[in-house]
Structure formats: C-alpha cells, structure tokens
C-alpha cells in the first residue's frame, strides 16, 4: 500500500481500492456496498466485464460478478455485431494477456464457438494457443468460407511460436547431438584437442610441461548424416489441444534439422501419421481431429513398428494417459522399447498450463519402468530432448 503516512495519499489509495473492488464486484450503483460510482473509461470497462461475467439482461446490470451466483446470464446477445463490438472494447481496455483469458471465458460460458465460424469474428479476436485449439476442434464443422481466415489465424500463432522456440531448440539439440556423437577412439584428424586436453589435465607432468592424453575425445564424423530418430506420438483428445499445437511446432523445428529424422504421429482410437506434412505445422494442425477416445497401445504399436535403430531413437509420448485400449499391452510395449535401447519420454502436457488431469496409476506404472511422466513447458522441452539424446537423466520439474 502506498503513502500510508500521508493523509492525501491514503485517501487516494482508499479510493483506488474501492474503484478496483467496484470493477471486480460489478452490480448497479450500490456496487455491493462500495458506494463507488464509475464514469468515463471505467464505466466502459465495467460494461465490458458485465457483458461477460455479470447477471441480468445486459452489460453491467445487476447481479455482480461473484462466482457461484444464481444469476449469470450472458450480456453479449447472440449477434455477431454485438460480440465483435465487445471484442474491440476489451482489446481497447485490457492488456493482451487479459483479453485472451476473457475470450476463452466467453467461448466457454456464452457458447460463442459457433460465431468463430464467421470470418468477421475471427478477424476481431486476439489469436493465441487456446484459440487455435478451439478452431481445430471446430475444423470439421467450419464452412469453407471461414477456413481460409482460420488458417491465417492459426498461421499467425504458429509463426509467433516458431520465432520464440526455434533458435534455442536448434542450438540446444545441436550441442547434444555433437556430444553424443563424440568418440573415444578418433582418427588423428578427428581429435577434438580442446576437449581432449581438458579431459586429461589430471595427467599434466610439470617436469615435461605437457599433458599425457590418456583418453582422446573426437568429433563425430559425417556431421550431416542422420544421428538420431525422434518419434513424437501425440494424443489428440480434446483436453490436449494446447499440447497438440506446441508439439506440431516443435515437430516442424526438429524436422528442419538434418541430423534428426523426425516422425509425427497423432492418435485417438485411430492412428494418423502426419510426417509428410512436417514442413508446414499449419498443415499438421489441420490434419488433427481434436476429441474422441484414446488408444495409446495402438499408437505405440505403430511407433514401435517404425523403429529401425532402437539405440539411436527417442520416442516422446504426449498424453494424459487415460487409456481406452489394452493397458498391460501398452506397458509391455514401453518396456520392450526401453529394453532395446530406445529412449522413452512421457509428457502429460506440453504447454504453459502445468499438469492436466491424468491417469495417476498409469503414470506410476511408467515411472516404475524408468519412464517418468511429467508436464513439460515449451521452454523446458529442448532440455528434455537434449537429455534424452545424450541418454542422461531427464530434467523432471519438481512436483
């Protein structure tokens, strides 16, 4: 709290607190006892909030915005023009992060998903990962007149994600690939002298002022050849929407690296291989079909059939582990892949939202096989993949 010892400052703080409570609580002029009357920009902000969270017939009228209240009727109406005006208002009065939250709430609370199938509406919304997930879930029902606009919205988000994630991912994995490719019996021209000297400093002979290289460290040869195979196996059930978006972007980034052969597989009760579309993650996303059941065992059976170099393969399963297939067979497949030398990674989510609801029994069973299941943020994913490539312990987040 600012200026506690200053009478004027204290009064200003008190008025600001009342103003904020008034905006939070909503309501009419009584404002649930705050006695604060809003005007100008504040009144417009209150109207935008009331249209989404308020009760009664319209924006900012009655009922307040308390969770669990008995009156929580929508105030946006059912028409696209009124919703478009509201979307413009919230972008004017609130920062982008708040706008995205309010848009998601409007889709969930007011049933506005159908309006997103109108091109004019799509042009008005603030694009983010969650909106992309909603559009993908509506893909099959979307009219042709809207699909072009929807692809433009999805491409905008994908390009933002690629810009944010690609450079660090490539740098991290290139380093991991180089380290994993080093040999301890290199030819003379392949010796990495810098690392060889550092690895043998304990063998320094002061009287001769030299290091005796007990162990040679060499560069991996054929730097442009494929060193690792990566299979991304992605659960496309509705709860995994954000993970599908991020995984598709990472799949495209990995596919752009010559030293990694990348395969991308999505599944529900069926399995679809989208590897041939990896040059464009937007095509990958529109090739998915969010929703439906889950058969992890079938998906892993397909992935297992594509492994030709087990010791040089990393399989990444991205799923909440709610298995609709054969549980014991699923676990046997994971055990068999690990026994053959394949690195197996289980991600409950690949997003910024933390762990979703997931099947704890299956997660515990996988952990017992040496494949701990955990939620992974997009920023941590390159480190997870680097650890898998180098066959060292995964950086599992605490908790």
């Amino acid at each position: 709290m600012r200026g506690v010892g200053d009478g004027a400052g204290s009064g200003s703080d008190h008025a600001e607190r009342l103003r904020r409570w008034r905006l939070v609580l909503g309501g009419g002029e009584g404002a649930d006892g705050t006695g604060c009357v809003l005007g100008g920009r504040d009144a417009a902000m209150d109207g935008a909030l009331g249209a989404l969270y308020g009760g009664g017939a319209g924006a900012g009228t009655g009922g307040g915005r308390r969770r669990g209240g008995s009156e929580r009727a929508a105030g946006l109406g059912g028409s696209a023009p009124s919703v478009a005006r509201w979307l413009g208002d919230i972008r004017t009065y609130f920062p982008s992060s708040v706008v995205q939250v309010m848009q998601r709430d409007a889709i969930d609370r007011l049933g506005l998903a159908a309006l997103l199938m109108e091109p004019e509406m799509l042009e008005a919304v603030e694009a983010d990962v969650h909106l992309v997930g909603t559009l993908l879930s509506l893909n099959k029902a979307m009219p042709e007149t809207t699909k072009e606009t929807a692809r433009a919205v999805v491409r905008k988000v994908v390009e933002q994600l690629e810009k944010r994630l690609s450079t660090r991912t490539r740098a991290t994995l290139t380093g991991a690939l180089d380290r994993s490719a080093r040999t301890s019996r290199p030819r003379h021209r392949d010796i990495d002298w810098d690392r060889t000297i550092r690895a043998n400093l304990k063998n320094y002979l002061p009287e001769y002022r030299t290091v005796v290289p007990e162990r040679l460290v060499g560069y991996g040869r054929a730097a442009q050849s494929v060193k690792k195979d990566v299979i991304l196996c992605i659960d496309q059930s509705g709860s995994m929407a954000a993970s599908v978006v991020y995984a598709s972007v990472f799949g495209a980034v990995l596919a752009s690296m010559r030293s990694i052969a990348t395969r991308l597989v999505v599944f529900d009760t069926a399995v679809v291989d989208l590897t041939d579309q990896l040059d464009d993650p937007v095509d990958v996303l529109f090739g998915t079909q969010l929703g439906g059941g889950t058969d992890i065992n079938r998906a892993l059976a397909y992935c297992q059939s594509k492994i030709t170099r087990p010791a040089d393969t990393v399989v990444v399963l991205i799923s909440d582990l709610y298995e609709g297939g054969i549980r014991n067979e699923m676990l046997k497949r994971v055990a068999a892949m690990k026994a053959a030398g394949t690195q197996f990674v289980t991600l409950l989510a690949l997003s910024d939202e933390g762990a979703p609801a997931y099947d704890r029994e299956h997660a515990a069973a996988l952990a017992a096989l040496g494949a701990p299941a955990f939620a992974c943020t997009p920023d941590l994913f390159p480190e997870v993949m680097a650890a898998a490539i180098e066959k060292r312990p995964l950086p599992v987040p605490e908790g």
Side-chain angles (χ1 to χ4, degrees):
M1 189 162 56
R2 305 187 307 270
V4 174
D6 183 349
S10 179
S12 175
D13 289 345
H14 179 67
E16 176 61 16
R17 285 197 299 275
L18 286 179
R19 169 185 170 272
R20 289 176 178 269
W21 273 115
R22 170 62 180 80
L23 287 168
V24 169
L25 294 171
E29 291 187 4
D32 291 325
T34 65
C36 181
V37 178
L38 302 176
R41 183 182 178 88
D42 286 346
M45 290 175 65
D46 187 58
L49 289 167
L52 176 57
Y53 301 110
T61 61
R65 285 185 277 277
R66 290 185 297 270
R67 290 189 180 274
S70 59
E71 295 185 58
R72 298 175 68 179
L76 296 181
S79 70
S82 65
V83 177
R85 284 194 298 272
W86 178 79
L87 287 169
D89 286 345
I90 64 173
R91 293 174 73 171
T92 299
Y93 301 128
F94 302 100
S96 177
S97 58
V98 176
V99 169
Q100 292 169 5
V101 172
M102 293 179 73
Q103 285 180 171
R104 294 201 297 273
D105 285 349
I107 292 169
D108 294 339
R109 294 162 59 99
L110 306 182
L112 298 184
L115 289 177
L116 290 178
M117 290 191 280
E118 299 184 18
E120 297 80 5
M121 286 296 300
L122 280 179
E123 292 171 356
V125 295
E126 186 84 16
D128 68 345
V129 170
H130 300 280
L131 178 65
V132 170
T134 300
L135 292 177
L136 295 178
S137 68
L138 298 171
N139 182 28
K140 301 303 180 184
M142 193 175 290
E144 290 299 324
T145 54
T146 306
K147 284 189 175 181
E148 185 176 346
T149 306
R151 287 185 70 90
V153 171
V154 171
R155 186 169 298 283
K156 177 182 177 182
V157 174
V158 165
E159 288 175 351
Q160 291 170 347
L161 293 178
E162 282 188 307
K163 184 177 181 180
R164 167 189 159 193
L165 302 170
S166 61
T167 301
R168 180 166 170 265
T169 299
R170 290 192 184 97
T172 300
L173 297 192
T174 297
L177 289 164
D178 287 345
R179 288 188 293 272
S180 68
R182 291 187 192 119
T183 175
S184 59
R185 299 181 63 183
R187 299 180 182 183
H188 184 272
R189 65 174 178 268
D190 294 330
I191 295 174
D192 184 337
W193 287 109
D194 180 59
R195 288 187 171 84
T196 294
I197 292 171
R198 281 190 283 167
N200 290 277
L201 285 176
K202 63 180 180 180
N203 300 321
Y204 178 69
L205 300 179
E207 62 272 27
Y208 294 103
R209 301 178 66 184
T210 190
V211 171
V212 177
E214 216 173 56
R215 181 170 68 89
L216 298 177
V217 180
Y219 295 107
R221 304 195 67 199
Q224 297 303 314
S225 64
V226 173
K227 298 175 182 176
K228 293 290 180 180
D229 297 335
V230 173
I231 302 176
L232 299 177
C233 185
I234 309 165
D235 183 343
Q236 61 176 352
S237 57
S239 61
M240 303 296 293
S243 297
V244 171
V245 176
Y246 280 113
S248 298
V249 172
F250 276 118
V253 173
L254 295 177
S256 70
M257 301 178 65
R258 293 183 180 180
S259 51
I260 296 178
T262 305
R263 183 176 295 276
L264 190 143
V265 176
V266 298
F267 67 93
D268 41 36
T269 53
V271 180
V272 180
D273 193 326
L274 297 175
T275 302
D276 60 352
Q277 299 179 39
L278 271 175
D279 59 334
D280 188 345
V282 176
D283 286 342
V284 171
L285 287 171
F286 277 93
T288 64
Q289 185 173 345
L290 293 176
T294 308
D295 192 338
I296 302 173
N297 177 55
R298 175 177 290 187
L300 291 182
Y302 178 82
C303 294
Q304 190 177 22
S305 72
K306 297 300 179 182
I307 296 175
T308 58
R309 306 186 304 156
D312 292 315
T313 299
V314 179
V315 175
V316 183
L317 171 64
I318 304 173
S319 173
D320 56 16
L321 300 180
Y322 285 113
E323 171 64 318
I326 307 172
R327 175 184 185 273
N328 290 337
E329 288 298 314
M330 175 189 78
L331 296 175
K332 284 180 182 178
R333 291 190 190 283
V334 175
M337 283 187 270
K338 288 186 64 63
T342 297
Q343 296 298 105
F344 194 91
V345 180
T346 310
L347 303 181
L348 300 171
L350 178 55
S351 70
D352 290 309
E353 300 172 344
Y358 64 95
D359 190 308
R360 296 179 181 275
E361 184 179 350
H362 288 165
L366 287 170
L369 294 174
F374 57 96
C376 178
T377 65
D379 289 331
L380 179 63
F381 184 74
E383 300 297 335
V384 170
M385 291 302 298
I389 286 171
E390 295 182 66
K391 300 185 178 182
R392 54 183 170 82
L394 302 179
V396 179
E398 293 183 7

